[in-house]
Amino acid sequence: MSSGIAASAGPQGASGLGGLGRLLVLATAVLCGAAVMEIEVLGARVVSPWFGVSLFVWTALITVTLLALAAGYFLGGQLADRRGDLRTLAFVVGAAGLLLMVVPWLRAPVLQLCARAGIRGGALLSALILFGAPLTLLGMVTPFVVKLFLRDVRETGSTVGRLSALSTVGSFLGTVATGFWLIPAFHVDQIAGGSAFVLLLLAGGLLSVTLRKARAMAIALPALCFLQAPPLARTVLDSGTRAEVVFRQGSFYGPIRVVDYTYPPNHTREMLIGGIIQGGLDVVSGEPVYPYDYFLERAALSFVPRARRALIVGLGPGVMTARLAKYGLSGTVVEIDPRVAEVARDYFGYRQDAFKLAVADGRHFLETTRETYDLVLLDAFSAETEPSHMFTREAFQAVKRCLNPGGGLVINLAAVAGGSEEENRVLNAVLRTMQGVFPEVSAFEAPDPAPGAVVNFTLVGSLTPGIRPTPRTFLPPYPPAAQYLEGFMATPYRLPSAGEGYTDDWCPMEAHGAATKLKSRKTLAAPPEILLD
């Protein structure tokens, strides 16, 4: 019986593997397990320039990974029973490496094509096209490894258990290495190229054992072309504006880019996270270039005119801290990503003179701080997606506990100008949630928007019942932004009637705002040459 099983394992069953062959097969189980999870984690960054980093993107990557592995296990088992040898395994691993190697070339046209399918469909299709085939091939590895190591049918359970454990250890290592080290430190093309190099090198090693020719390892050499980061992008837009990436770096929360735009005599600078504009300034004057910064400023100081201490949740380029400091305000700014704070300091002039930095999650800070403030400004986004745990009843109650008497909460939120109840489901649900916590709630739409456009809404929750904005004089804005401030707060947004509000137990903001997010990405995303840098 034992010899029959050994024979069914093919010409190179466990008894036929030499010491080097056994070591390479074990390494294949570990490294291919690592590659599966590396592709899954990396895939979210590859598709994020077009589809963001929302729940839909992660759902798409997990779905494609599971389907591909299921297909790989099935096909691999069929092939291993027919040709369960090292050479066939080498071709499977090598093909996975080659397909992964071409991802940097394919991602731009694939993402542009799949964007037509929306966030859900586009994320799923692009993940399937880019990663479905290599993940399927990596799934085929497990049946081969089992086939090559199985000596006796009576050892099937223990053999499969050991090899599955090894593969899972590889998946653990691949997940940790990719998420905690590779993505923050390297460009996505470098990571894909490095993974392809390892898989091709592994395939070459398996072939060298079979063919007894060490030069088979040379098949990994083409992947070395991707180990060097591509140059920083620069382009000239249709308007004649010169756009140039002056800094890029990965982080735990999305790729960070600093982009300079020059159109003499103007020179502006923007911070992008996940391909979405997070703010910008005029390089000469240091003033914010986007109107929503002035919306927040004017709403905050009109509703709490005697404010002296403020808490800002979401640093971005840090322009709001500098702007409020000119009015004599001080306080704390909370930013979850330390790399964002470094970029704000090095490229946007952020200093901790008036507003001290707290590197923390905004909700955790609100729940644990003993400090109190006159104002809390919430302007936190992951790319174009709001952190939903900051918009629940419980989160607003935490804000309320941090406010001094007469204080207020001011929020920047994107919604559709003149949108229907369905289009602005997130906006209305947030307002209803605020109404359950604050005695007075107001909302203001950006003045004179184009109907159907995604614009900034400024939401105010005050501890003072019946309060209205107090007229006052404001510091001059960046001149091109001044036209967008005329009429701001003149006509409040009509508050919604009774309906759903968000809680920690129920807050499907991403699902409710999916269509708005897609519109927002089309509006706020950088040019394609910059987006895919």
Side-chain angles (χ1 to χ4, degrees):
M1 182 68 177
S2 176
S3 61
I5 290 296
S8 71
Q12 286 180 310
S15 59
L17 290 175
L20 179 59
R22 289 176 61 85
L23 182 62
L24 281 172
V25 172
L26 290 174
T28 300
V30 174
L31 292 175
C32 288
V36 167
M37 293 309 299
E38 183 181 67
I39 290 172
E40 183 175 347
V41 177
L42 180 67
R45 288 301 170 87
V46 171
V47 304
S48 66
W50 250 256
F51 305 109
V53 290
S54 69
L55 176 65
F56 302 125
V57 169
W58 282 108
T59 301
L61 264 297
I62 293 170
T63 299
V64 168
T65 300
L66 292 175
L67 287 175
L69 289 178
Y73 296 150
F74 176 79
L75 296 174
Q78 299 293 313
L79 185 58
D81 281 344
R82 289 198 289 267
R83 296 186 55 118
D85 53 48
L86 284 179
R87 180 181 297 184
T88 306
L89 177 59
F91 284 127
V92 169
V93 175
L98 287 172
L99 288 171
L100 191 56
M101 187 174 66
V102 301
V103 165
W105 289 330
L106 294 177
R107 67 185 181 114
V110 168
L111 292 176
Q112 290 175 352
L113 177 66
C114 294
R116 303 173 185 175
I119 291 181
R120 293 182 179 89
L124 187 62
L125 283 174
S126 59
L128 183 63
I129 295 171
L130 292 172
F131 303 112
L135 284 170
T136 299
L137 288 164
L138 290 171
M140 294 173 66
V141 168
T142 298
F144 268 90
V145 173
V146 171
K147 183 79 171 182
L148 289 166
F149 263 82
L150 188 61
R151 289 193 179 98
D152 192 317
V153 70
R154 291 170 296 183
E155 300 175 354
T156 301
S158 59
T159 300
V160 172
R162 287 195 299 271
L163 295 173
S164 297
L166 276 175
S167 178
T168 303
V169 168
S171 295
F172 162 75
L173 295 174
T175 303
V176 171
T178 306
F180 290 173
W181 178 58
L182 293 175
I183 284 179
F186 297 98
H187 193 279
V188 292
D189 289 357
Q190 289 177 288
I191 301 173
S195 302
F197 175 76
V198 170
L199 292 175
L200 289 169
L201 196 65
L202 186 60
L206 293 168
L207 280 177
S208 68
V209 171
T210 302
L211 303 176
R212 303 184 187 280
K213 294 180 180 179
R215 64 174 179 270
M217 307 280 283
I219 66 171
L221 293 179
L224 291 175
C225 299
F226 293 98
L227 296 186
Q228 183 177 359
L232 295 174
R234 59 179 62 184
T235 187
V236 178
L237 308 181
D238 293 340
S239 63
T241 301
R242 181 181 181 85
E244 180 179 6
V245 177
V246 296
F247 174 85
R248 71 179 175 208
Q249 186 178 44
S251 83
F252 298 120
Y253 302 97
I256 303 171
R257 302 288 184 271
V258 176
V259 184
D260 274 9
Y261 293 91
T262 53
Y263 40 108
N266 299 310
H267 181 189
T268 61
R269 175 170 290 172
E270 294 178 349
M271 176 187 285
L272 309 179
I273 299 179
I276 295 296
I277 299 166
Q278 303 297 310
L281 55 72
D282 175 60
V283 174
V284 177
S285 67
E287 296 293 352
V289 296
Y290 285 103
Y292 72 83
D293 288 305
Y294 301 104
F295 296 159
L296 286 173
E297 167 196 315
R298 296 191 174 198
L301 298 179
S302 295
F303 276 88
V304 191
R306 297 183 180 180
R308 287 295 175 264
R309 284 182 51 76
L311 171 65
I312 303 173
V313 182
L315 174 64
V319 292
M320 182 55 67
T321 63
R323 189 75 184 174
L324 292 181
K326 293 179 180 180
Y327 290 94
L329 273 73
S330 62
T332 307
V333 57
V334 181
E335 172 56 52
I336 195 171
D337 191 345
R339 294 181 185 267
V340 167
E342 294 169 4
V343 174
R345 179 196 63 204
D346 295 341
Y347 289 89
F348 295 89
Y350 165 65
R351 297 292 180 267
Q352 296 192 47
D353 300 331
F355 285 84
K356 304 302 181 184
L357 174 69
V359 178
D361 173 77
R363 175 72 179 273
H364 181 264
F365 183 90
L366 288 167
E367 298 283 4
T368 58
T369 185
R370 295 182 179 179
E371 298 289 327
T372 58
Y373 303 90
D374 303 310
L375 281 168
V376 174
L377 281 74
L378 177 54
D379 186 22
F381 291 87
S382 176
E384 75 278 27
T385 302
E386 306 90 353
S388 59
H389 66 301
M390 292 296 303
F391 290 85
T392 65
R393 179 185 62 206
E394 294 83 353
F396 292 153
Q397 288 171 341
V399 170
K400 188 177 181 179
R401 289 193 295 269
C402 295
L403 287 173
N404 293 322
L409 166 67
V410 184
I411 300 175
N412 175 38
L413 190 68
V416 179
S420 64
E421 177 71 22
E422 182 61 30
E423 286 177 313
N424 283 336
R425 194 173 178 183
V426 169
L427 171 65
N428 292 325
V430 171
L431 286 169
R432 281 189 285 262
T433 307
M434 294 174 69
Q435 288 175 311
V437 177
F438 294 95
E440 191 67 38
V441 174
S442 303
F444 304 95
E445 186 177 0
D448 299 322
V454 177
V455 298
N456 295 98
F457 281 71
T458 306
L459 284 52
V460 180
S462 175
L463 296 182
T464 305
I467 191 172
R468 293 295 178 264
T470 301
R472 62 169 297 167
T473 302
F474 295 98
L475 295 173
Y478 176 60
Q483 60 178 316
Y484 299 102
L485 303 178
E486 296 178 6
F488 177 61
M489 293 195 297
T491 306
Y493 175 75
R494 184 176 180 181
L495 297 179
S497 58
E500 61 192 3
Y502 292 139
T503 68
D504 284 349
D505 295 328
W506 187 82
C507 188
M509 287 185 70
E510 291 185 14
H512 289 173
T516 302
K517 296 296 179 292
L518 186 58
K519 280 187 176 183
S520 177
R521 179 159 285 271
K522 292 177 179 178
T523 303
L524 296 176
E529 299 89 345
I530 303 298
L531 201 59
L532 294 169
D533 171 67

